[in-house]
Amino acid sequence: MKEKRNGISSRVIERLTKYLRCLENLSPEDYISSEELALKMGFTAAQIRKDLSNFGEFGIRGKGYQIRTLYSDIERILGVHKTNNIIVIGAGRLGGALVSEPEFTKESFNIIGVFDNSDTKIGTEMKGIKIRDVKEIPYFLQSKDKVDVAILTVPKKVAQQMATLLVEAGVKSILNFAPINLEVPDHIAVQNIDLYAKLQELNYWKEQVINND
Amino acid sequence: MKEKRNGISSRVIERLTKYLRCLENLSPEDYISSEELALKMGFTAAQIRKDLSNFGEFGIRGKGYQIRTLYSDIERILGVHKTNNIIVIGAGRLGGALVSEPEFTKESFNIIGVFDNSDTKIGTEMKGIKIRDVKEIPYFLQSKDKVDVAILTVPKKVAQQMATLLVEAGVKSILNFAPINLEVPDHIAVQNIDLYAKLQELNYWKEQVINND
DNA sequence: TAGATTGTTAATCGATTAACAATC
DNA sequence: TAGATTGTTAATCGATTAACAATC
């Protein structure tokens, strides 16, 4: 995946998700200025206005942004205003935690399939969803509703193999929890969540504090 | 937490963790040039050399970097060469998944405590570690080995409260899985893992592919 | 020594911020 | 209308890349 497409950098998109997080705690009918929003989030007002201006005009001069409409405008920009179908590959503890997350399932993302390669798991249920054989993935993708995202929670050693299988079956975007850099064609969107890398980063910053603040 | 300390940007630290990920799959005694490494990771050779030059000289001119020594040098830069003690706050499914991750426990991070606020969980064990009452956190931090990182896997609505408790008890760095922006003093290091935000980002990039590649 | 590749300086590129005219 | 705040242009800042002297 490229760092940039259509002139929008990944930094901008990352911030949009943060704006949503902040807006969801505010009263929908109120108005907020870029200045106030910036203060809440530790950004600058100019940056917020610039980010939004990439996609259109969402504010009212002299008044600010209505929280409700700004929220739904950002949702529309990100494409999360419609329900998104998800499959989870790997019915281990992490996969199970994701499928069960109440925070997660109530949102606009909908888990429509869970896959594993273990005979003891295949055929059983996880939160009411049947666990299928990973071999069925190609068939599943042909016959079912469109799959928007595949979440990979398989062990590191099979992650690349599964990613390749997913891409061949037609999946266009992958959220990868395995601590490896997946090799996929350029047109496939991949996001990584690497717990261990985050811990390493934390470790670095923690050490710095002593000498600096 | 600031974006930068001691002149090193968070981008550099992020890449260092990626270098580690790449190096761990290569033969330790071999040498690799910045050019070869760059090719493997999709960075530029100049960037790799520049990143490393922030911390010293690790290569041999005309030859490249020895994989084994570069790996341990980066570990030392990040501070992960020594064992790091972790506590997990929230013994739910996600907390359980983390405690059990084989990939995770074998690394240099060591879980020394698990805490929850539910009476039905307190006193039971999770992978051989006793689940303690969150109220015991201040006492635990005084009496036990130093805690390097606290991982927060509690529900969104109590995350801020727990973060405040942790900071007051003396925790210096937090890995937060709750989808909110924690408010903590400037000298506390925080990293967020926000699954839902990642899905939103993916969703955006997925839509762009069609118009672009 | 000749060839290769580092570490580092200078040039480029992109992202953030400041400033302000447009306008609610 | 006067005050406020947007959307946008220009200025600044920082990060990436290119180039090359140093040196293995």
Side-chain angles (χ1 to χ4, degrees), chain A residues 5-6 11 21 24 79 84 103-104 109 148 156 179 191 194 196 198-199 203 206 208 212-213, chain B residues 5-6 11 21 24 79 84 103-104 109 148 156 179 191 194 196 198-199 203 206 208 213:
Chain A
R5 287 197 230 262
N6 299 339
R11 305 285 209 96
R21 282 270 173 258
E24 70 190 3
N84 284 273
E103 292 277 352
F104 178 52
F109 292 97
D148 295 284
K156 184 177 169 178
Q191 290 277 332
D194 187 337
Y196 189 55
K198 287 284 189 185
L199 285 172
N203 216 64
K206 179 192 53 148
Q208 304 317 302
N212 212 36
D213 290 70
Chain B
R5 286 196 232 261
N6 299 340
R11 305 286 210 95
R21 281 269 172 259
E24 70 191 2
N84 284 272
E103 291 277 351
F104 179 52
F109 292 99
D148 295 283
K156 183 177 169 176
Q191 290 277 331
D194 188 337
Y196 191 53
K198 287 284 188 185
L199 285 172
N203 216 66
K206 177 192 55 148
Q208 303 317 302
D213 292 70

Side-chain angles (χ1 to χ4, degrees), chain A residues 73-162:
Chain A
D73 285 335
I74 298 178
E75 277 196 319
R76 198 162 39 247
I77 294 167
L78 293 171
V80 293
H81 56 300
K82 44 188 191 304
T83 300
N84 284 273
N85 292 327
I86 293 182
I87 57 174
V88 175
I89 323 299
R93 285 169 184 276
L94 182 57
L98 297 186
V99 173
S100 311
E101 270 295 315
E103 292 277 352
F104 178 52
T105 49
K106 77 154 198 275
E107 304 279 6
S108 65
F109 292 97
N110 188 227
I111 296 175
I112 61 167
V114 176
F115 297 86
D116 205 291
N117 66 358
S118 147
D119 286 340
T120 61
K121 284 178 186 160
I122 295 165
T124 65
E125 284 199 354
M126 187 176 255
K127 278 274 158 177
I129 303 167
K130 198 179 94 181
I131 300 175
R132 292 179 163 82
D133 192 328
V134 290
K135 294 199 191 78
E136 289 180 34
I137 291 173
Y139 170 73
F140 185 88
L141 272 133
Q142 276 162 33
S143 58
K144 281 276 177 174
D145 296 340
K146 148 186 86 86
V147 168
D148 295 284
V149 186
I151 304 186
L152 256 192
T153 67
V154 299
K156 184 177 169 178
K157 63 183 183 300
V158 294
Q160 178 60 60
Q161 178 189 335
M162 281 299 132

